[in-house]
């Protein structure tokens, strides 16, 4: 059983960030959301493991809820 890797694992994080930013250049909010969705589905298909995907979804949701809660308290 694989587990979600939360350790730094990207050889060039700045390059990846720049590439992601370039992906969204010139897109309105709706098209940006669509391209994000397509990228997520491509990466999910590549991962394939339903347990890893479930853990990633749960981790992302928990992080979002924590940030939202902190923003509401500020």
């Amino acid at each position: 059983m694989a587990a979600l890797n939360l350790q730094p694992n990207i050889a060039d994080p700045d390059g990846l960030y720049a590439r992601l930013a370039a992906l969204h250049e010139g897109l309105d909010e709706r098209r940006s959301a669509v391209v994000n969705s397509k990228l997520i589905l491509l990466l999910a298909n590549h991962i394939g493991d339903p347990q890893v995907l479930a853990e990633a979804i749960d981790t992302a949701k928990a992080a979002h809820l924590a940030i939202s809660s902190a923003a509401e308290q500020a």
Side-chain angles (χ1 to χ4, degrees):
M1 170 174 82
L4 182 64
N5 180 4
L6 296 176
Q7 299 304 311
N9 194 34
I10 298 171
D12 180 15
D14 292 335
L16 174 62
Y17 181 84
R19 188 127 189 196
L20 288 170
L23 173 65
H24 294 274
E25 284 179 13
L27 300 180
D28 62 23
E29 189 173 337
R30 185 187 72 75
R31 288 189 173 146
S32 183
V34 168
V35 78
N36 273 340
S37 296
K38 290 178 180 184
L39 179 59
I40 289 166
L41 291 172
L42 285 167
L43 294 172
N45 182 68
H46 178 76
I47 293 166
D49 186 317
Q51 290 176 325
V52 171
L53 293 169
E55 188 177 348
I57 290 167
D58 293 345
T59 301
K61 183 175 182 177
H64 172 72
L65 292 174
I67 291 169
S68 295
S69 177
E72 288 175 5
Q73 293 176 2

